[in-house]
Amino acid sequence: MPLLRFKAVFHPAIRAGSKTTTLRRWDRPKLRAGTMATAPGVGSLLIERVEAVKWEELGEADARADGFNSMAEMKTVV
């Protein structure tokens, strides 16, 4: 099963279901939709969708789905 790591600060939001997406700076996808991944400190996660996006295309709703309060906050971490 593939490994997907998250900073510990995100673990509660993942468990609560308020962090429903994750952004990764990969050259190519390392996971596929429909597979399970292990996230240390969180458990097993079902990967529902994988898609390439451009940073400029992301908005406030994307930041909230990724566990941030705003794009400004997300930009300081990602």
Side-chain angles (χ1 to χ4, degrees):
M1 194 176 316
L3 191 64
L4 192 57
R5 295 188 185 277
F6 293 91
K7 293 179 180 178
V9 67
F10 294 118
H11 293 181
I14 294 167
R15 286 190 208 104
S18 57
K19 177 174 172 52
T20 58
T21 67
T22 188
L23 298 172
R24 303 291 164 147
R25 293 182 184 193
W26 292 338
D27 293 332
R28 59 179 175 74
K30 296 181 178 161
L31 299 170
R32 290 182 294 139
T35 61
M36 297 293 291
T38 299
V42 177
S44 296
L45 302 173
L46 172 63
I47 308 304
E48 294 182 351
R49 191 172 69 200
V50 176
E51 61 185 85
V53 295
K54 293 182 181 178
W55 183 257
E56 307 82 45
E57 296 172 348
L58 299 173
E60 295 296 322
D62 298 302
R64 286 190 296 280
D66 204 22
F68 297 95
N69 293 315
S70 66
M71 279 294 293
E73 181 183 0
M74 185 168 71
K75 286 178 181 180
T76 66
V77 176
V78 175

